[in-house]
Amino acid sequence: MPSPVIIAVAITGSVPRKADNPALPVTPAEQIESTHAAFEAGATLVHIHVRAPDETPSSDPNLFRQVQEGVRRHCPGMIVQFSTGGRGRTPAQRSAALEFRPDMASLSTGSVNFPSIVYENQPPLVDELAGKMKLHGVKPEIEVFDLSHIHGAKRLVEAGLMDRHAHLQFVLGVKNAMPAIERLLKVLVEEARTALPDMTWTAAGIGRHQSEVADWALALGGHIRT
Amino acid sequence: MPSPVIIAVAITGSVPRKADNPALPVTPAEQIESTHAAFEAGATLVHIHVRAPDETPSSDPNLFRQVQEGVRRHCPGMIVQFSTGGRGRTPAQRSAALEFRPDMASLSTGSVNFPSIVYENQPPLVDELAGKMKLHGVKPEIEVFDLSHIHGAKRLVEAGLMDRHAHLQFVLGVKNAMPAIERLLKVLVEEARTALPDMTWTAAGIGRHQSEVADWALALGGHIRT
Ligand SMILES: [Zn+2]
Ligand SMILES: [Zn+2]
Ligand SMILES: [Zn+2]
Ligand SMILES: [Zn+2]
């Protein structure tokens, strides 16, 4: 499967605060400049969360729009990916920014335990997010936190809510979800290749697992995310 | 791994109503008699949910106690297993009947999507249920609805909340959770054997998948549940 390696960057997650890392980009202007720096260093995809001025996770679609516009201006050709993740957002708020037609958006196809909460992706919400992505021409990145989530993606393809050339990201090393073990990544990749033969994939290790998961993913023929 | 085959019976789940099946045992007396019939037909374990008089799922510990007492009287040697499942119960209510010291109780070690809801097993609740089972000498049956739940069980062993001779049940065929595919059962069994070498296991296929999953489980060296 010879395809170019995508170097992705998640400029601002949903958890850390400036108190943890003073360099954390929080405002749209800071996020745009941080993305530009990563772009110049070779990153080709940016995964976007936005924050309110008090640094809590925001669901304001206008913040997503501002970051997208800035990235498009400063980083020509870079792939813009919006998060539709749940932290600090109601189910209805999670799809609100899709109307701005980013190139991609994250999409979780199942529920799973996270370090201190249940990451809830209710079955009707999964369908709604996929349907809105299809409507607005946004390519989903399926966030696979557990084995059944691959089959959640397959159900979307079968329901006509997603193209069979699905893109999956296997996320390892989240406490209470999938541990960062190479054997488990192999299991996930093998099942995805069987269930969704036309898929492409990346893998992400959280925190201290980032570089080992990137190594395993490259060895198995996947892309990486930094 | 030569061990006797356990024939288990789940006399009353949490969903069907007498309107669906007039023979459904709902009162403790009905549940005891239905269990007795299954015992005489060879069943050696009974998995118990209880219902309120209006047939909705109940969390009344006294109903669990009544069914347990009747089963012990009518079915000597039968293994009594209480459900600690979530349907119709608050997290606090799910552990209430454990003080009556059934032989076993079900324990989910992760969250997952079900046909129409998120089956929520919050990380602190999982620890609390395991801790109460240990306190009361109740052996958990780990309900594995997804791959990460095996590692949820492993974390309980490592935390000293569960014996390393864990008993797992792989549940296949629940819509939006793990599909009933033999390849997936093999993946789960293999991972459990690697992560928890001292475990024993059964497999259950839901609804129309019951007999095929039982066949796969026997072929793979597991027990079955009817
Ligand atoms: Zn710039
Ligand atoms: Zn994200
Ligand atoms: Zn009797
Ligand atoms: Zn049950």
Side-chain angles (χ1 to χ4, degrees):
Chain A
M1 211 191 296
S3 49
V5 170
I6 293 172
I7 308 288
V9 60
I11 40 170
T12 310
S14 56
V15 175
R17 297 285 189 270
K18 274 195 191 283
D20 310 310
N21 171 13
L24 186 79
V26 165
T27 67
E30 288 168 347
Q31 292 190 306
I32 293 159
E33 274 322 295
S34 171
T35 304
H36 190 181
F39 178 72
E40 299 209 316
T44 52
L45 181 152
V46 58
H47 174 78
I48 300 171
H49 289 248
V50 296
R51 299 290 185 92
D54 69 354
E55 295 189 42
T56 58
S58 170
S59 59
D60 182 352
N62 274 315
L63 293 174
F64 281 98
R65 187 183 50 75
Q66 285 171 44
V67 178
Q68 173 169 273
E69 282 180 7
V71 170
R72 291 224 164 121
R73 210 163 46 236
H74 289 241
C75 316
M78 193 174 203
I79 299 165
V80 172
Q81 181 186 86
F82 286 177
S83 167
T84 65
R87 209 174 277 268
R89 306 203 261 180
T90 64
Q93 292 171 329
R94 292 169 58 177
S95 65
L98 294 173
E99 61 180 294
F100 297 119
R101 300 177 174 268
D103 303 294
M104 300 184 78
S106 61
L107 174 59
S108 291
T109 53
S111 298
V112 69
N113 277 1
F114 269 10
S116 59
I117 58 159
V118 178
Y119 183 36
E120 295 187 54
N121 294 286
Q122 298 84 353
L125 174 66
V126 173
D127 288 0
E128 184 205 321
L129 285 168
K132 286 202 177 155
M133 290 184 201
K134 189 179 177 184
L135 177 71
H136 294 298
V138 179
K139 185 172 172 78
E141 175 177 275
I142 304 297
E143 307 299 328
V144 175
F145 292 97
D146 214 336
L147 185 60
S148 76
H149 300 188
I150 294 168
H151 289 272
K154 188 178 164 78
R155 275 191 302 278
L156 293 177
V157 173
E158 288 168 348
L161 291 169
M162 187 167 70
D163 190 89
R164 66 191 167 79
H165 299 89
H167 182 69
L168 276 56
Q169 168 152 273
F170 305 112
V171 186
L172 305 185
V174 177
K175 191 188 168 199
N176 297 330
M178 194 63 68
I181 298 174
E182 186 173 15
R183 179 182 74 243
L184 294 174
L185 179 60
K186 280 183 185 158
V187 164
L188 294 170
V189 170
E190 213 166 286
E191 183 59 27
R193 284 176 172 156
T194 304
L196 293 164
D198 299 307
M199 62 101 208
T200 55
W201 64 276
T202 53
I206 300 304
R208 67 192 168 85
H209 302 291
Q210 187 172 307
S211 71
E212 60 182 357
V213 171
D215 290 345
W216 304 334
L218 281 174
L220 287 167
H223 300 132
I224 63 167
R225 160 179 292 187
T226 63
Chain B
M1 209 192 298
S3 49
V5 171
I6 292 173
I7 308 290
V9 61
I11 39 170
T12 309
S14 56
V15 175
R17 297 285 190 269
K18 273 196 192 282
D20 309 310
N21 170 14
L24 185 80
V26 166
T27 66
E30 287 168 349
Q31 292 190 306
I32 293 160
E33 274 321 296
S34 171
T35 304
H36 189 181
F39 177 71
E40 298 209 316
T44 52
L45 182 153
V46 59
H47 174 77
I48 299 172
H49 290 247
V50 295
R51 298 291 184 90
D54 69 353
E55 297 188 41
T56 58
S58 170
S59 58
D60 182 352
N62 274 315
L63 294 174
F64 281 98
R65 187 183 50 75
Q66 285 171 46
V67 177
Q68 172 168 274
E69 283 180 7
V71 170
R72 292 222 163 122
R73 212 161 45 237
H74 289 240
C75 317
M78 193 172 202
I79 299 165
V80 172
Q81 182 187 84
F82 286 176
S83 167
T84 66
R87 210 172 277 268
R89 307 203 260 181
T90 65
Q93 291 171 330
R94 291 169 57 176
S95 65
L98 295 173
E99 59 179 295
F100 298 118
R101 300 176 173 269
D103 303 293
M104 300 184 78
S106 61
L107 174 60
S108 291
T109 53
S111 298
V112 70
N113 278 1
F114 269 10
S116 58
I117 58 160
V118 179
Y119 183 37
E120 295 187 53
N121 295 287
Q122 298 85 352
L125 174 66
V126 174
D127 288 359
E128 184 205 322
L129 285 168
K132 287 203 176 155
M133 290 183 202
K134 189 179 177 186
L135 177 70
H136 295 299
V138 178
K139 185 174 171 77
E141 176 178 275
I142 304 297
E143 307 299 328
V144 175
F145 292 97
D146 215 335
L147 185 61
S148 76
H149 301 189
I150 293 168
H151 289 271
K154 188 178 164 79
R155 276 192 301 278
L156 292 177
V157 173
E158 287 168 350
L161 291 169
M162 189 167 69
D163 190 89
R164 68 191 166 78
H165 298 89
H167 182 69
L168 276 57
Q169 167 152 274
F170 305 113
V171 186
L172 306 185
V174 177
K175 192 188 167 197
N176 297 329
M178 194 62 69
I181 298 174
E182 187 172 15
R183 179 182 74 244
L184 294 174
L185 179 59
K186 279 184 186 159
V187 164
L188 294 170
V189 170
E190 213 166 286
E191 184 58 26
R193 283 176 173 156
T194 304
L196 292 164
D198 298 307
M199 61 101 207
T200 56
W201 64 277
T202 54
I206 298 305
R208 69 192 167 85
H209 301 290
Q210 189 172 305
S211 71
E212 60 182 358
V213 172
D215 289 346
W216 303 335
L218 281 173
L220 287 167
H223 300 130
I224 64 167
R225 161 179 291 185
T226 63

